[in-house]
Amino acid sequence: MSAAAPHPTSSNAHLSILRFSTAGSVDDGKSTLIGRLLHDSGNVYEDHLAALEANAKKAGSTRVSLALLTDGLKAEREQGITIDVAYRYFATPRRRFILADSPGHVQYTRNMATGASTVDLTIILVDARTGVIEQTKRHAFIAALLGVPRIVLAVNKMDLADYSQDRFDEIVADFTEFSAKLGVREIKFIPVSALEGDNVVERSGKMPWYGGETVLEHLESVYIAGDQNLVDFRFPVQYVLNPTQDFRGYAGTVSSGVIRAGEEVVVLPSMKRSTVKAIVVPGREMRGEKRQEASSRDAIVIQLSDQLDISRGDMIVRPKNVPRATTQFDAMMVWLGDTPMDTATRYIIRHSTREAKALISNIDYRIDIHTLGRIEAAPLVPNEIGRVSMSTTTPLFLDPYQKNRATGNFILIDPVTFLTVSAGMVIDRGRSDAPGVDQGEETDHNLHHEAALVTTAEREARIGRKAVTIWMTGLSGSGKSTLAKAVERTLFNDQLPVFFLDGDNLRTGLNKGLGFTREDRSENLRRAAEVAKLMNQAGVTVICAFISPYAEERKRCRQIVGEERFLEVHVSAPIEVCEKRDPHGLYAKARKGEIKNFTGVSDPYEVPEDPALRIDTSTASLERSVEEVVALALSRSAL
Amino acid sequence: MHLPTNLEQLEAESIFIMREVAAQFERPVLMYSVGKDSSVLLRLAQKAFYPGKIPFTALHVDTAYKFPEMYEFRDRMATELGLNLIVHRNEAALRDDANPYSLGTQRCCALLKTGALLEALAKHEFDAAIGGARREEERSRAKERVFSFRDKHGQWDPRSQRPELWNLYNGKLAKGESMRVFPLSNWTEQDIWNYILVEQIPIVPLYYAQKRKVVVRGNMLVPVMGSDRRTYEGQNVDEVLCRFRSLGCYHCTGAVRSDADTLEKIVAEMTQVKTSERATRIIDFDTDGSMELKKREGYF
C-alpha cells in the first residue's frame, strides 16, 4: 500500500478509540516502526511525505526515512532524539488510534510514565540482535506500574537476525520468564522488521513460521471494553452548577461504575445520604436524547433530591460501596521533579478533583531501575521510583490503583514552583479513619507477586493432561447443568481431576452479596472465570454452566481463563422447549413480570458466533451430548 | 442523530477539561477565532455548563484582515449565544500599516496575532486562555499539553511544561503566569467535521463551496478581496468553484477546489483528502519549523 491509497480516516465515526504507547531505546527502531505503521496503513498526508522525500534528497539518499515522520521539535531533530511525549492520531476502517509516543531514553522515566498513564496497551520494542535488555525490562516494569493492561513485545530488526524463529523463540522465552513477576494481564509477541515492513501492517512472507497477527491487526482487534470498572460507582464533584434558583446540579465525570436516576447515594466526606433525582447528560440532552443512566467516563450533571452542602472535591458514591476515606496511605511513586523529594515539604496533592496538603511521612524503599530490585530507602531523585507512606491534612477518597485506575492515582505539586513533581499510585494498605467501609486485605503491588516454585506445566506433566475450562452458555432450561454434571461424572471416572462450577453454588459463598443487576451479573461471571483460571492452574479441568447471555462478557471470561484453555459450548434449545421445561418456574414468573431482565423473555441472549461446540438438547440425547463434550475436552487437554 | 462512540468519548473529555478551567482559574477566557474549531469549542462550552450559561468571556484577536463573512458570522454567534465578546486588535501596528506584503508573513503574524493576543491577555489579566488547537494539526503541536504553561512573558518553553498524567491537570500559577488550555487536543480534523455534522453546528459559509474570485497560483487558490487591491493587482483573476478548509487572514489563506456545498459533502470530501489542512495556510511555508518559532514567542 502506498501513501496515495485512499486515506482511511473515512467514515470511522462509529469506531471505538484505542490508546496505546510505544517504548524502546533510540536504536530499537521505534520511530521507524511508528512511521511504517502510519505509512503502510495510508495515514500519511502527501505534503508530509513530500517534505520527507525532499529531506532524503538533500541527504543524498533515495530511501525516505520513515522515522522522520514522527520526529517532533526542531531542537530534537538536531539532537537526533525525542525528549517528550508526542501524540499521534490515525485511523483504519476498524478503529481510531491515539498513540502516545514515549521516548525511551534513560533519564526520561517520567515521559514513559506520562504516556503509560492513559493507555490501553503498550508496544515495547526490542532489537532481535540484542534481545531483552535492561531497558526492555525497565519499560515493561513502568508499564506494569502504571497499570497498563496489555503489552505487545515487538521483536524488531528480524531482517538482521535472518528472520530466525529460534532467535524469536529465545526472546519470547526470556521475556516471558521476566514478565511473570509483573502481573501484566496480556502479553503478545510479534516478530517484525519495521524497516522492511514485515508484520507491521502487511503479513511477512519471510517468516512463514509465524502464523499470528501483524502489529496493526492486533491493534485493530484487541478487546478493551472489559477494562472499564463498571462495579464501583465513583463520582468526584468537579463543578457546582447553580444557574437558577430552582436548578442545583453537580457537574463531573463518572470515574467508574454506573448510576441511574432513583438510586440511593452517599456524599463523601459528609456521609449524608440522598437519592439521585435526575441525571443530565448534556452531550445527549442537547441532541434531544434523554437517558437517566450514566457510566464510566460520561461527563454528566447529577441532581439530588435533598438540599445538601456539596462542593468541588466531594465524592458521590453508593452507600454499600464506599472508597477508603483516609489521611494515611501507601503508594508507589514516580518522581518527576527536577529536584529530589523533600520529606519536610508540604506538597499539594491532587486526587481526582480534590486537593490537600501532603507530607511524605515515610519512604519504604526505592526501586533500582537497572535490576528492578529494592534498594534502601532514601528521598527519591528525578526519575526514581519507590514506595512511600503519605499523610494528608484532609481525608482523600481512595481506591487501590490495581482495582480502580481512575480513583487510585494522584499527583504532587510543589507548593513554591507549582510544578508537578510526582505521580503516585495508591496501594491498598492501612485502615480507614473515617466512616466508610474498610476494603480489607492488602492487594500486593505487581512486583510482589510470588513466582511459585511449582509451575503449572509441572503439574500438568504429572497429571498427564492440560486442564481446560468448558464454558457452557445457554438459556435457562437449556440443559446446561444436567449436561455439565454428566460430563463431570464421566471425566472423573476417567481419572481426570475435574470440577463442576455451578453459578448458584458460587452465589451462596464467594459471590454472596451480588445481586442480579447487569453489573452484579458481570462481576459474578468475572469471579467465576477467575476461579476457573485458578483451578486450571492447579491442574483441574473446570466445567462452568452459566447463562452468560452477552458475547462481550463471554469474551472477557475467555481472556481471563486464557484463549488456549477456554472451550465455549453453546447449549442450545429453542426457547419454547426451555420454557416448557422451566424447572424452577422462572419463565412463568418472568412472563408475569415478576422477574425483570430475564434472559430470553425481557433481556437478549446473544448467540455465540463461533463456539467450540454447539449442542441442541432438544434433538440430541444426553448420552450423545456427553460424548461430544468429553471428546472435545480430551482432544483439547492432550499435552 | 446518535453520536458515535469515539465522538462521545472525545466530547466527554473536552467537557471535563472545560469544567476544570472554570473550577481552577479566576479569569478564564475562551479564544474565539471564528473558524470551525472555534464553533465546536463553543458548542462544547455550552454543553459543559448546561443548563447554565457559558461562564467564560470570549476573545477574538482580530488582525483586521479577516474575511467579511467571518465578521458577520462572529457577531451573529455572539448575539445568538449571548456571549460576552471582546474584540482586540493591535491598533498601534495597524496604524503603522502592518501587512504581510511589506513585513513578510512572519513579522506580520508576530505583530497582529501574537502581539495582539499578548496585549489582550495582559490588559484583561486573563489567567487561562482556552484555544481550539489540536495536536494533530501540526508537528510541533504533537507534544503540546492540554494545560500548556506560559511564563510571565507569555512564552512557551518545551522544557518547562508540566507532566500530564491521567486526567489530573495542574493549573496552579504564580502572579503574571498564565495557562493556555486545549480541550480539542485529541480531536482530528475528521472528528471536527463529523461532530459538526451530527450536531448541526453553524459554521462560517466560507467552508462551503461556491464560485469565488481567486488568483490561481499552482495548487493554491489565493482569494481576491475587492476592497484590497493588493490581493489581485497585476494578476489574473479567475472564478473557481472552491471552498476554504481552514480560515485565517485573507492574505495568507488559500482555498481548495471543491464542489462540497453541504456538510454531508464536506465530510465525504474529507475522507478522500490526501494533504494536511495546514497545507492551505500560506503562513506555514515561511521556514521549516516556523510554527514552533511562533509558539515560542507566544502565538496560539
Side-chain angles (χ1 to χ4, degrees):
Chain A
M1 216 195 271
S2 79
H7 195 251
T9 42
S10 52
S11 52
N12 54 37
H14 60 287
L15 304 174
S16 67
I17 298 176
L18 180 88
R19 292 174 195 248
F20 71 104
S21 63
T22 50
S25 51
V26 182
D27 307 322
D28 291 336
K30 183 166 63 74
S31 298
T32 308
L33 177 82
I34 298 166
R36 173 64 67 187
L37 207 50
L38 297 177
H39 181 270
D40 288 8
S41 60
N43 276 284
V44 179
Y45 287 124
E46 278 176 353
D47 52 321
H48 290 171
L49 200 61
L52 288 190
E53 277 158 8
N55 253 335
K57 224 179 208 167
K58 236 192 309 187
S61 161
T62 50
R63 191 164 195 167
V64 167
S65 172
L66 290 175
L68 290 177
L69 274 176
T70 61
D71 207 17
L73 307 189
K74 204 174 176 181
E76 294 165 29
R77 244 181 294 160
E78 281 155 12
Q79 287 172 19
I81 50 161
T82 33
I83 54 166
D84 209 342
V85 186
Y87 294 87
R88 323 273 168 207
Y89 302 82
F90 68 104
T92 68
R94 297 178 66 186
R95 217 172 217 168
R96 269 267 275 117
F97 300 95
I98 299 179
L99 160 59
D101 182 8
S102 319
H105 214 261
V106 184
Q107 63 267 47
Y108 293 109
T109 299
R110 69 171 184 183
N111 294 325
M112 267 224 55
T114 302
S117 70
T118 52
V119 302
D120 309 304
L121 176 153
T122 293
I123 298 180
I124 297 175
L125 270 105
V126 296
D127 185 325
R129 295 168 303 177
T130 49
V132 176
I133 54 174
E134 220 172 60
Q135 211 171 109
T136 317
K137 295 181 180 175
R138 182 152 67 236
H139 293 153
F141 171 73
I142 294 172
L145 183 71
L146 269 295
V148 178
R150 46 189 78 75
I151 287 177
V152 172
L153 196 81
V155 181
N156 192 23
K157 306 198 182 179
M158 286 301 290
D159 52 321
L160 301 179
D162 300 327
Y163 295 106
S164 156
Q165 179 175 12
D166 289 347
R167 184 63 191 134
F168 178 71
D169 289 347
E170 215 176 318
I171 292 169
V172 170
D174 277 359
F175 191 78
T176 305
E177 194 196 332
F178 161 74
S179 64
K181 289 182 282 183
L182 288 179
V184 174
R185 224 165 57 214
E186 279 174 61
I187 299 172
K188 172 103 184 162
F189 299 92
I190 306 178
V192 304
S193 165
L195 194 68
E196 303 294 335
D198 294 296
N199 288 338
V200 178
V201 172
E202 307 288 339
R203 296 210 177 193
S204 169
K206 297 178 190 111
M207 291 175 273
W209 46 266
Y210 174 77
E213 294 169 310
T214 67
V215 174
L216 186 67
E217 282 169 353
H218 184 66
L219 295 177
E220 282 182 321
S221 63
V222 66
Y223 174 73
I224 56 167
D227 294 356
Q228 300 275 1
N229 178 337
L230 294 175
V231 177
D232 308 304
F233 174 66
R234 304 283 185 263
F235 183 77
V237 175
Q238 193 183 4
Y239 190 77
V240 178
L241 280 173
N242 207 353
T244 60
Q245 286 242 296
D246 42 277
F247 187 96
R248 186 175 174 84
Y250 307 102
T253 296
V254 181
S255 293
S256 58
V258 181
I259 191 75
R260 289 175 202 89
E263 286 185 309
E264 191 179 21
V265 290
V266 60
V267 183
L268 297 174
S270 71
M271 291 305 280
K272 294 245 165 67
R273 292 198 181 202
S274 186
T275 48
V276 177
K277 187 170 84 182
I279 295 170
V280 183
V281 188
R284 300 192 194 122
E285 199 137 316
M286 286 183 67
R287 278 187 297 273
E289 298 168 42
K290 273 241 176 201
R291 211 193 313 171
Q292 290 293 333
E293 179 189 290
S295 62
S296 171
R297 293 192 199 171
D298 286 342
I300 63 171
V301 180
I302 288 183
Q303 290 183 276
L304 299 180
S305 314
D306 304 276
Q307 288 272 4
L308 300 179
D309 183 20
I310 297 174
S311 51
R312 175 176 166 90
D314 291 359
M315 192 182 272
I316 300 177
V317 299
R318 285 217 179 81
K320 284 187 184 153
N321 184 338
V322 182
R324 198 150 64 90
T326 181
T327 59
Q328 313 282 332
F329 60 93
D330 289 1
M332 291 302 292
M333 188 171 266
V334 182
W335 198 256
L336 311 166
D338 290 330
T339 51
M341 167 191 283
D342 175 20
T343 50
T345 299
R346 281 171 162 256
Y347 291 102
I348 301 163
I349 186 167
R350 259 295 291 281
H351 170 263
S352 66
T353 56
R354 195 169 175 84
E355 250 176 46
K357 293 275 175 136
L359 269 179
I360 296 154
S361 51
N362 184 49
I363 303 162
D364 287 354
Y365 57 80
R366 291 174 298 152
I367 300 274
D368 179 337
I369 199 68
H370 301 288
T371 63
L372 299 181
R374 294 180 194 182
I375 47 177
E376 61 178 300
L380 302 184
V381 300
N383 290 300
E384 233 178 3
I385 295 165
R387 176 166 170 157
V388 299
S389 301
M390 303 288 302
S391 170
T392 60
T393 48
T394 50
L396 301 178
F397 316 126
L398 305 172
D399 287 304
Y401 189 69
Q402 291 283 309
K403 195 176 161 205
N404 199 333
R405 236 172 144 188
T407 49
N409 66 55
F410 63 90
I411 55 171
L412 294 187
I413 298 169
D414 185 292
V416 178
T417 63
F418 293 149
L419 291 171
T420 303
V421 291
S422 172
M425 286 130 297
V426 176
I427 299 171
D428 193 3
R429 174 183 271 181
R431 291 212 169 69
S432 179
D433 52 10
V437 177
D438 201 332
Q439 301 288 344
E441 291 300 297
E442 174 181 8
T443 313
D444 258 339
H445 173 256
N446 288 336
L447 260 194
H448 315 160
H449 272 300
E450 286 298 329
L453 292 176
V454 183
T455 66
T456 301
E458 285 176 285
R459 293 177 210 277
E460 289 173 344
R462 176 171 292 176
I463 294 161
R465 284 206 172 268
K466 193 173 85 179
V468 294
T469 293
I470 299 165
W471 189 275
M472 295 190 181
T473 167
L475 297 170
S476 178
S478 61
K480 296 182 299 296
S481 297
T482 312
L483 180 57
K485 283 186 242 174
V487 170
E488 183 190 28
R489 186 76 237 171
T490 310
L491 290 175
F492 182 79
N493 292 348
D494 285 352
Q495 310 298 321
L496 206 72
V498 59
F499 190 81
F500 168 43
L501 198 59
D502 176 71
D504 288 344
N505 293 349
L506 273 186
R507 280 182 177 280
T508 62
L510 177 65
N511 291 353
K512 204 168 175 174
L514 289 180
F516 288 88
T517 63
R518 179 148 188 181
E519 302 94 74
D520 279 4
R521 291 174 77 172
S522 159
E523 177 62 11
N524 184 47
L525 288 181
R526 188 190 68 80
R527 290 187 196 173
E530 290 285 1
V531 170
K533 177 190 177 182
L534 278 175
M535 295 185 92
N536 279 176
Q537 283 171 345
V540 180
T541 283
V542 181
I543 303 158
C544 298
F546 292 92
I547 298 174
S548 44
Y550 304 118
E552 287 237 318
E553 297 282 4
R554 292 192 300 262
K555 193 165 174 185
R556 184 167 70 152
C557 293
R558 175 186 294 272
Q559 289 194 335
I560 290 169
V561 172
E563 182 73 38
E564 70 291 343
R565 294 181 192 278
F566 190 89
L567 308 175
E568 191 176 61
V569 175
H570 178 207
V571 183
S572 79
I575 183 150
E576 307 77 52
V577 177
C578 297
E579 196 161 354
K580 217 167 174 182
R581 290 177 184 159
D582 203 5
H584 307 293
L586 296 175
Y587 281 95
K589 284 186 185 166
R591 292 285 178 208
K592 279 189 235 153
E594 287 169 24
I595 305 177
K596 288 202 176 97
N597 302 332
F598 192 78
T599 302
V601 176
S602 44
D603 213 42
Y605 177 82
E606 294 169 9
V607 175
E609 278 177 18
D610 190 22
L613 193 60
R614 205 189 300 274
I615 292 175
D616 185 345
T617 55
S618 68
T619 54
S621 70
L622 182 60
E623 291 73 24
R624 176 87 198 111
S625 304
V626 171
E627 266 171 37
E628 279 194 47
V629 178
V630 167
L632 172 74
L634 292 180
S635 75
R636 294 289 288 270
S637 68
L639 279 179
Chain B
M1 208 193 291
H2 187 68
L3 197 62
T5 321
N6 66 357
L7 289 181
E8 209 160 40
Q9 287 172 12
L10 291 170
E11 180 188 65
E13 182 182 89
S14 302
I15 289 174
F16 177 84
I17 294 164
M18 292 275 188
R19 289 168 172 173
E20 277 304 285
V21 175
Q24 289 197 40
F25 297 93
E26 303 265 314
R27 294 180 61 81
V29 65
L30 189 141
M31 304 293 302
Y32 184 57
S33 75
V34 200
K36 62 184 190 306
D37 302 305
S38 276
S39 289
V40 169
L41 213 52
L42 274 184
R43 174 61 56 92
L44 291 166
Q46 279 181 288
K47 291 194 174 189
F49 305 100
Y50 175 89
K53 272 191 171 171
I54 299 176
F56 310 124
T57 301
L59 170 66
H60 179 220
V61 174
D62 183 23
T63 59
Y65 293 128
K66 302 293 177 190
F67 296 87
E69 291 93 330
M70 291 172 74
Y71 294 116
E72 263 168 51
F73 183 84
R74 176 193 73 191
D75 295 339
R76 181 162 71 83
M77 290 314 290
T79 313
E80 278 178 17
L81 301 182
L83 292 180
N84 172 23
L85 178 75
I86 299 174
V87 177
H88 189 92
R89 292 179 176 185
N90 185 344
E91 299 292 355
L94 287 170
R95 271 196 303 274
D96 294 342
D97 190 32
N99 68 72
Y101 302 98
S102 54
L103 297 175
T105 54
Q106 263 198 43
R107 182 85 194 112
C108 184
C109 263
L111 287 171
L112 297 184
K113 294 176 90 168
T114 314
L117 170 66
L118 294 181
E119 235 177 52
L121 295 180
K123 181 179 167 195
H124 299 279
E125 295 183 329
F126 292 124
D127 53 359
I130 303 167
R134 290 174 280 111
R135 287 180 180 140
E136 169 235 31
E137 263 178 275
E138 207 272 341
R139 277 212 294 205
S140 75
R141 286 196 164 142
K143 302 189 176 187
E144 187 60 282
R145 302 294 195 274
V146 172
F147 273 37
S148 177
F149 176 80
R150 305 297 152 114
D151 64 17
K152 288 188 171 61
H153 311 288
Q155 290 184 345
W156 176 81
D157 176 359
R159 286 173 194 272
S160 72
Q161 296 303 314
R162 300 168 180 179
E164 268 174 3
L165 291 98
W166 303 290
N167 62 351
L168 297 178
Y169 300 111
N170 173 2
K172 300 241 175 272
L173 298 171
K175 203 170 161 34
E177 295 169 346
S178 64
M179 203 66 84
R180 307 280 168 87
V181 180
F182 304 111
L184 302 180
S185 286
N186 286 329
W187 294 58
T188 63
E189 190 183 13
Q190 188 83 49
D191 297 325
I192 294 288
W193 282 116
N194 283 330
Y195 192 69
I196 289 172
L197 174 63
V198 177
E199 293 272 325
Q200 293 290 307
I201 297 172
I203 49 168
V204 184
L206 293 165
Y207 287 113
Y208 296 107
Q210 68 174 64
K211 285 211 158 160
R212 294 187 169 91
K213 288 199 168 114
V214 295
V215 172
V216 180
R217 207 183 288 159
N219 282 334
M220 189 80 63
L221 306 177
V222 184
V224 166
M225 300 302 288
S227 58
D228 194 334
R229 301 179 66 83
R230 293 170 294 195
T231 59
Y232 56 90
E233 209 156 43
Q235 301 177 78
N236 280 334
V237 174
D238 288 313
E239 270 220 342
V240 178
L241 186 60
C242 62
R243 66 178 202 89
F244 293 88
R245 203 172 145 194
S246 70
L247 291 177
C249 296
Y250 58 74
H251 295 302
C252 296
T253 307
V256 291
R257 284 175 201 274
S258 166
D259 60 359
D261 56 2
T262 63
L263 276 178
E264 285 78 4
K265 285 188 198 166
I266 292 174
V267 169
E269 185 186 278
M270 289 310 305
T271 67
Q272 296 303 321
V273 118
K274 297 190 193 74
T275 54
S276 70
E277 72 193 289
R278 285 204 167 256
T280 61
R281 289 273 186 106
I282 300 166
I283 52 170
D284 288 349
F285 285 83
D286 280 352
T287 55
D288 194 19
S290 66
M291 175 67 86
E292 190 195 338
L293 287 173
K294 283 202 208 76
K295 270 181 71 178
R296 281 177 179 272
E297 287 159 8
Y299 177 66
F300 227 87

